[in-house]
Amino acid sequence: MAQYAPTLNPPNTLIPKLPIPNPSFSSISTFRTPKPKSKNFSTISMSVTAGQNQQQHQKPPSLDVLINGARKEEVLGAIKNSSSHCLSETNLHLTVPGLKSKTRGKVRDVYDSGDYLVMVTTDRQSAFDRILASIPFKGQVLNETSLWWFDKTQHITSNAVVSAPDENVTIAKKCSVFPVEFVVRGFLTGSTDTSLWTVYNNGVRNYCGNALPDGLAKSQKLPANILTPTTKAADHDVPVTPDEIVERGLMTQAEYDEVSRKALSLFEYGQRVALEHGLILVDTKYEFGKGQDGSILLIDEV
């Protein structure tokens, strides 16, 4: 359980009561989704420990219940009171032995511990390449949501997660990252320069190796899900075809074939889960890497 230093307000610094597990992780044999924790706000935590039989007959609370329920003011009050205790910054490399360096991302602080990475998901809110603010509990929600998806998709692909010693922390295997983001799309929509609707509306009928028929309308569901891979440029993503990925040496043909199958399967599974909850998964992206044993792993949040 993490404590927040009241003298740094904001930003606060994550100070673990217990050290981050030794890189050997001898006490953790398999990844398990951690039980939700409440950061000492137990009064607003929602019980999810009902029996399995009871759970099967209970629907999740509706958005209206969560917004207008009797405990609304209690929940909002707890969030407001904790706004000055957001986890905006961490410096674990100064206090935890074995952490060699820190890389500060938009949302995560990543620490190198040799064969593993210690990733702290902060409460920083990033949008349009800017850090806008810090939001109470955002890091915990993001980290635990990511862990839930990693756990639920293990039947499709292995992932890099080793353990989650804190609700804001994930320890993962260090991987060699493929310099390709696998963007999967199910609908003809979007507004950016690289969005499928923008290029289609401009007359493009072959995009990232996908032949697109004439006569499609904005936000129309595609006949089948498609992959539109991108590579990272200095300040933006660049669309690329499968042939170009192999020709440039970004991936071998075998690597691309395996990752593309996994990306499409992940998306199809995500669509099913979303539909079960009355949602539509329009598009998303996946990132993969190779572990030290050569195996291909899902490495980024789903």
Side-chain angles (χ1 to χ4, degrees):
M1 187 67 180
Q3 287 182 322
Y4 297 93
T7 55
L8 298 175
N9 184 18
N12 287 329
T13 301
L14 181 68
I15 305 176
K17 284 185 178 180
L18 299 174
I20 299 296
N22 185 278
S24 65
F25 305 115
S26 57
S27 63
I28 302 173
S29 57
T30 57
F31 162 64
R32 295 178 300 169
T33 303
K35 294 182 179 179
K37 302 175 184 176
S38 61
K39 287 189 190 299
N40 295 327
F41 292 101
S42 57
T43 57
I44 67 168
S45 61
M46 183 180 294
S47 173
V48 291
T49 57
Q52 289 184 350
N53 293 334
Q54 187 177 7
Q55 285 181 330
Q56 293 175 356
H57 301 288
Q58 286 184 343
K59 294 183 178 180
S62 66
L63 181 62
D64 183 68
V65 170
L66 293 175
I67 294 176
N68 301 312
R71 302 186 71 187
K72 173 185 176 182
E73 294 304 320
E74 180 183 357
V75 172
L76 292 178
I79 293 174
K80 182 178 180 180
N81 292 336
S82 65
S83 62
S84 61
H85 297 283
C86 290
L87 183 59
S88 301
E89 196 73 42
T90 69
N91 288 290
L92 297 183
H93 60 304
L94 303 179
T95 58
V96 179
L99 299 186
K100 301 177 181 178
S101 63
K102 170 187 174 181
T103 301
R104 188 180 191 272
K106 296 174 184 176
V107 173
R108 289 179 175 85
D109 291 343
V110 181
Y111 298 89
D112 188 338
S113 66
D115 293 335
Y116 301 91
L117 297 176
V118 178
M119 299 180 288
V120 182
T121 307
T122 71
D123 294 331
R124 297 193 293 264
Q125 172 63 46
S126 171
F128 304 105
D129 295 324
R130 299 289 187 275
I131 297 174
L132 305 179
S134 291
I135 301 175
F137 304 109
K138 175 184 176 290
Q140 177 179 346
V141 171
L142 176 57
N143 192 54
E144 294 190 336
T145 300
S146 301
L147 291 168
W148 188 90
W149 280 109
F150 276 127
D151 183 55
K152 294 297 182 181
T153 56
Q154 290 186 90
H155 66 288
I156 299 173
T157 179
S158 300
N159 58 68
V161 176
V162 175
S163 67
D166 181 271
E167 58 264 40
N168 286 76
V169 180
T170 294
I171 298 177
K173 299 174 184 176
K174 188 181 290 186
C175 296
S176 174
V177 180
F178 293 121
V180 178
E181 293 188 348
F182 282 76
V183 182
V184 188
R185 304 180 189 272
F187 289 78
L188 183 67
T189 191
S191 59
T192 66
D193 291 341
T194 58
S195 73
L196 192 55
W197 169 248
T198 299
V199 297
Y200 185 86
N201 196 40
N202 289 337
V204 176
R205 293 296 180 268
N206 193 303
Y207 188 57
C208 297
N210 300 284
L212 303 172
D214 291 325
L216 299 180
K218 185 177 183 181
S219 299
Q220 180 176 337
K221 191 177 189 301
L222 295 171
N225 296 329
I226 62 172
L227 268 172
T228 59
T230 63
T231 60
K232 284 290 186 182
D235 56 355
H236 62 283
D237 298 335
V238 179
V240 64
T241 67
D243 289 342
E244 289 172 335
I245 290 173
V246 176
E247 290 169 1
R248 296 179 189 179
L250 303 178
M251 304 175 73
T252 66
Q253 186 65 56
E255 291 169 343
Y256 176 83
D257 291 342
E258 179 178 346
V259 171
S260 61
R261 286 195 302 268
K262 290 182 174 181
L264 287 168
S265 296
L266 286 168
F267 190 74
E268 291 167 2
Y269 177 74
Q271 285 181 312
R272 293 199 301 270
V273 174
L275 191 59
E276 290 171 0
H277 294 80
L279 302 171
I280 296 173
L281 179 57
V282 174
D283 51 47
T284 192
K285 62 100 176 171
Y286 306 101
E287 295 187 46
F288 293 84
K290 294 186 73 170
Q292 293 183 353
D293 61 355
S295 59
I296 293 179
L297 306 173
L298 179 65
I299 62 170
D300 197 19
E301 67 194 49
V302 174

